[in-house]
Amino acid sequence: MIENRQRSEFLKEFMEDIEDKAARTGSYQVPFLEKMITFMDRQDEPEILLPPYTDTGRNIAVNAYSYDEDSSILDIFVSDYSFDQNEDDLLTINMTEAAEIGSKAKRFITNAKTLVSSIDESLQSYDLAKLIADQFASLEEVNIYVITNRFYLTNKPVNITIPGIDTVNVQVWDIDRVQQLLTIEQGMQNDYIDFEKELGETFEMMLVPDPIQGGTKQFDCYVGYISAELLAKAYDIWGPKLVERNVRSFLQARGATNKGIRNTLKDPLQRKMFVAYNNGISTVAKSGEFEAVNGSGVFKFKGLGGWQIVNGGQTTASIHQAYKDGIDLKDVYVQAKLTLLKSSDIGSDHHYLEDQMVSRISEYANTQNKINKSDLLANSRFMADLEKFSRNIWIPALDGRKPENKWYFERARGQYMVDTNRRKRGKEQSDFKKLYPKDKVLTKVEVAKYFMSWEGYPHVSSKGGEEAFTKFMDANKEFWKSDNQQTKMTLSVYQKLIARTIINKRVTEIVDEMKLKGYKANVIYYTTAMLHHLHAGQIDLVEVWEHQGLSDKWDEVIRIIADKTLFYLKESAGDRNVTQWAKQEACWVQFKEMWTKELRVTAN
């Protein structure tokens, strides 16, 4: 089957990077988890437990977690890594197995109070157990993420309950899900939904008039409503594919808002008022089969190609769950907007323009929700310029030969992998990887975290890629938000951004070599920030770019700082969670004060 061959090729490409990192670090679990997390739209960066917590006797396991204090939401991650997985014999995981793996994380939560007294206090897993024990009564929601390198092809929802926790969501992130996500993000798909033949129903919408007669508008907009049952049936067949462009996609119908929707649908008196109560859905499509109805500006839609729900994923999931629960959806309607893109009028760069249009529709339709700025600003002038520089600027050669490599900046998530697979397997792909080596691939959130840590904001980088990206874009707003179009990216700006990356990567290598126990990401950000704070005048970023490395005279300095950083984070946190403490500006201010005092003592 073509689909299996595509899965096999994707798995091979995906695992190559894991194996490269595993060869250096001696661990497959950590690089696999790190890579998978990059594909998940996360506001906070999860803390990866080193070592992971496992108790085979009680069947408990946890690999990472994050906690949102403001909303009292705990995210907990458990990894399922099969060494037998290979591209020749694709291994799958079923719903029962996924539930069993997710239950390992559940047991950590339900046994947290007991675990506090049995886990070594120096371990990160102790911090997690204490956090859960202290905050359990106030937890509003728990999200369990099952991360697996097997294929979860059934895509059935996994249900796990935790006594005392009202909302528990389970998400399975497998290789197939990542592949679908990357495919979706690299251009709208052409999957065609035949509403009339497949679902036995059509819907009618009214065309919004074009104010510019004979204009060159790149889309048509329709407004109207569709039946809840039709929407539920479509989701039942196509599942997450319908909402993968939604900035809040992959949500299950378990939250408070979704429960309110389902309660409305359960009540026969309230059910018919659904269209008045609910804000409806916003959708986009690449093509459609439709016909005019009596020349009144109303059109009957029989089918759509590349149909995506960009706002209303929660509504859709809730309606689908009600449909699966046997709730009568007759006479229930959902208001809807359809933006039909005129791909034939967009031109050769249609993927870019489609992404740009859909991104803006998603942004404006989702203003009431948290949105990942890194995705919405991917098409900004600054990001586009950074991508262009990375495709055109050669890495300086140090041996007298002509340059052979370039850095590869990913403006869109998974861009490098997609770009590689567009080339023929064999020499064409090998040449591409030689030109853009894997260790020179850089994502937009990585650029942001490296920039913020070097510039003295390790607490911002510790909050995660999204927070760092927001601050990074604000710090560089003259390159993309300025009314002065003459303010453009320069070669020097690009070189210094890469130099900060090189320094952060060197600090990471040294921290890995030291095998420090715990809080790796925080140690790296704080060590880098302190290196700059103490020695900024002695480190020339342009020189780092020219040599594509930091002089090894700084290696021992980095080791000393990193060792003191870990000690400081643990000691200064006191009874507080170390990870949460590292996200506070006060942590960084206090760290600088500690160094200042030590330097004074040494001077005297």
Side-chain angles (χ1 to χ4, degrees):
M1 292 174 60
I2 294 177
E3 196 171 46
N4 279 343
R5 187 176 74 242
Q6 292 173 337
R7 287 191 177 112
S8 179
E9 291 174 355
F10 181 83
L11 176 67
K12 186 175 187 296
E13 182 72 25
F14 185 91
M15 294 307 298
E16 281 179 3
D17 187 40
I18 306 298
E19 289 168 357
D20 289 343
K21 291 182 179 179
R24 295 195 302 269
T25 63
S27 168
Y28 281 85
Q29 288 272 10
V30 173
F32 170 66
L33 190 58
E34 289 176 337
K35 189 175 180 71
M36 290 294 286
I37 286 174
T38 63
F39 297 106
M40 304 164 69
D41 291 332
R42 305 212 38 81
Q43 204 68 22
D44 291 323
E45 183 168 328
E47 181 73 21
I48 296 179
L49 303 183
L50 297 173
Y53 183 83
T54 55
D55 183 337
T56 54
R58 288 186 285 184
N59 203 16
I60 302 175
V62 174
N63 293 81
Y65 77 97
S66 66
Y67 176 65
D68 187 331
E69 291 186 69
D70 295 332
S71 57
S72 297
I73 296 176
L74 173 69
D75 293 346
I76 195 160
F77 302 75
V78 58
S79 178
D80 165 59
Y81 187 89
S82 173
F83 288 96
D84 294 327
Q85 179 66 288
N86 64 86
E87 63 269 20
D88 297 322
D89 184 21
L90 303 179
L91 301 181
T92 61
I93 180 174
N94 59 38
M95 184 182 67
T96 302
E97 291 173 308
E100 288 174 354
I101 295 167
S103 293
K104 293 181 179 181
K106 167 191 172 177
R107 293 186 193 100
F108 188 97
I109 296 172
T110 55
N111 287 276
K113 288 185 178 180
T114 304
L115 293 173
V116 168
S117 60
S118 62
I119 300 176
D120 187 328
E121 292 187 19
S122 66
L123 297 177
Q124 292 165 282
S125 48
Y126 169 82
D127 285 350
L128 174 57
K130 190 173 188 305
L131 171 69
I132 295 172
D134 292 344
Q135 303 297 328
F136 186 86
S138 61
L139 283 178
E140 294 289 337
E141 183 176 318
V142 170
N143 297 306
I144 298 175
Y145 294 87
V146 176
I147 316 295
T148 178
N149 68 335
R150 291 187 282 171
F151 287 84
Y152 187 57
L153 301 181
T154 62
N155 203 34
K156 293 179 179 178
V158 177
N159 295 315
I160 291 177
T161 59
I162 299 177
I165 305 295
D166 185 50
T167 302
V168 180
N169 300 315
V170 182
Q171 293 191 24
V172 180
W173 280 81
D174 67 325
I175 300 297
D176 204 44
R177 183 167 182 168
V178 172
Q179 183 181 7
Q180 288 180 11
L181 185 62
L182 291 182
T183 303
I184 286 289
E185 291 198 352
Q186 297 301 324
M188 296 179 66
Q189 299 309 292
N190 292 310
D191 293 329
Y192 183 79
I193 300 179
D194 192 322
F195 297 106
E196 188 172 43
K197 293 181 179 179
E198 294 180 20
L199 305 177
E201 191 177 345
T202 60
F203 59 90
E204 296 180 356
M205 304 188 87
M206 178 177 288
L207 174 65
V208 177
D210 186 351
I212 305 175
Q213 296 297 322
T216 57
K217 190 173 61 172
Q218 296 171 337
F219 64 90
D220 282 326
C221 188
Y222 300 82
V223 293
Y225 60 88
I226 65 176
S227 77
E229 190 168 7
L230 176 63
L231 184 61
K233 288 179 179 178
Y235 189 81
D236 198 50
I237 295 174
W238 295 92
K241 281 191 174 184
L242 287 186
V243 295
E244 282 179 331
R245 284 263 180 181
N246 189 327
V247 296
R248 290 178 64 80
S249 63
F250 303 124
L251 294 177
Q252 294 189 25
R254 301 286 294 279
T257 301
N258 301 315
K259 287 181 179 179
I261 293 174
R262 291 177 64 194
N263 288 337
T264 299
L265 294 172
K266 287 179 181 179
D267 187 338
L269 297 177
Q270 299 291 319
R271 190 180 303 148
K272 294 181 181 180
M273 295 295 293
F274 186 85
V275 71
Y277 294 160
N278 188 266
N279 289 329
I281 62 175
S282 294
T283 73
V284 296
K286 289 183 67 173
S287 61
E289 183 183 354
F290 51 94
E291 60 185 29
V293 179
N294 300 325
S296 59
V298 175
F299 293 81
K300 181 170 75 172
F301 282 84
K302 300 179 179 180
L304 290 171
W307 192 43
Q308 283 281 297
I309 298 169
V310 295
N311 177 247
Q314 290 182 321
T315 294
T316 303
S318 298
I319 289 173
H320 175 256
Q321 189 60 53
Y323 171 76
K324 298 295 285 184
D325 289 345
I327 295 175
D328 184 8
L329 298 179
K330 186 180 180 181
D331 297 328
V332 178
Y333 295 94
V334 183
Q335 60 178 315
K337 180 175 71 174
L338 167 64
T339 301
L340 193 59
L341 304 180
K342 297 181 178 180
S343 297
S344 59
D345 297 335
I346 291 178
S348 58
D349 199 14
H350 65 278
H351 284 317
Y352 174 80
L353 291 174
E354 283 172 359
D355 284 344
Q356 191 175 51
M357 290 178 69
V358 173
S359 176
R360 287 175 179 170
I361 292 170
S362 298
E363 177 180 7
Y364 301 136
N366 286 276
T367 52
Q368 75 277 20
N369 296 324
K370 286 184 178 180
I371 303 171
N372 282 352
K373 291 293 183 184
S374 61
D375 289 333
L376 295 179
L377 294 177
N379 293 321
S380 67
R381 180 159 50 99
F382 183 37
M383 293 289 99
D385 286 346
L386 186 51
E387 180 185 38
K388 289 176 184 176
F389 269 99
S390 78
R391 302 301 189 271
N392 293 316
I393 303 303
W394 294 91
I395 294 174
L398 304 179
D399 55 6
R401 295 185 299 169
K402 68 178 182 179
E404 294 183 324
N405 312 120
K406 300 176 184 178
W407 284 83
Y408 186 101
F409 173 69
E410 280 194 339
R411 183 172 55 83
R413 181 168 44 183
Q415 193 174 359
Y416 178 81
M417 190 177 294
V418 173
D419 217 355
T420 301
N421 290 331
R422 283 176 179 163
R423 288 155 175 80
K424 293 181 180 178
R425 298 185 73 84
K427 186 178 186 303
E428 197 171 323
Q429 283 194 8
S430 297
D431 289 345
F432 179 80
K433 291 177 182 178
K434 183 178 180 182
L435 178 62
Y436 300 106
K438 283 188 176 182
D439 63 348
K440 297 294 187 290
V441 177
L442 191 60
T443 69
K444 52 187 177 290
V445 293
E446 285 176 332
V447 168
K449 288 189 292 185
Y450 297 155
F451 179 91
M452 297 309 295
S453 62
W454 178 254
E455 293 302 316
Y457 300 91
H459 53 290
V460 173
S461 295
S462 293
K463 291 180 180 179
E466 290 304 318
E467 179 71 14
F469 185 81
T470 299
K471 300 296 185 183
F472 167 73
M473 292 299 282
D474 186 58
N476 293 280
K477 59 186 176 184
E478 71 269 22
F479 299 119
W480 67 280
K481 209 172 183 179
S482 173
D483 292 332
N484 180 9
Q485 294 299 312
Q486 299 303 313
T487 307
K488 296 181 179 180
M489 269 275 290
T490 65
L491 176 60
S492 177
V493 171
Y494 172 73
Q495 290 174 334
K496 289 178 180 179
L497 282 174
I498 299 299
R500 293 179 181 90
T501 295
I502 292 169
I503 293 171
N504 272 267
K505 285 180 173 287
R506 182 56 189 148
V507 172
T508 301
E509 290 172 354
I510 291 174
V511 169
D512 283 339
E513 291 169 2
M514 294 174 69
K515 299 187 183 303
L516 298 177
K517 292 184 179 180
Y519 317 106
K520 175 183 170 182
N522 306 125
V523 169
I524 292 169
Y525 302 143
Y526 274 76
T527 299
T528 302
M530 186 54 69
L531 177 66
H532 178 256
H533 179 68
L534 298 173
H535 305 287
Q538 300 167 266
I539 299 176
D540 185 342
L541 291 178
V542 174
E543 185 177 314
V544 172
W545 161 264
E546 292 293 341
H547 291 86
Q548 288 294 294
L550 184 64
S551 171
D552 56 13
K553 72 179 182 181
W554 296 107
D555 287 2
E556 187 57 30
V557 175
I558 292 170
R559 290 189 184 94
I560 292 171
I561 296 175
D563 192 57
K564 288 190 175 183
T565 297
L566 180 59
F567 177 80
Y568 163 77
L569 289 174
K570 289 182 175 180
E571 289 296 309
S572 63
D575 292 333
R576 291 168 293 198
N577 180 277
V578 175
T579 302
Q580 299 302 117
W581 167 233
K583 296 176 182 179
Q584 298 181 28
E585 186 177 5
C587 181
W588 169 236
V589 172
Q590 191 172 315
F591 191 37
K592 287 188 291 184
E593 290 174 351
M594 184 199 78
W595 275 96
T596 301
K597 290 178 182 178
E598 287 194 7
L599 289 173
R600 286 174 184 166
V601 171
T602 303
N604 293 329

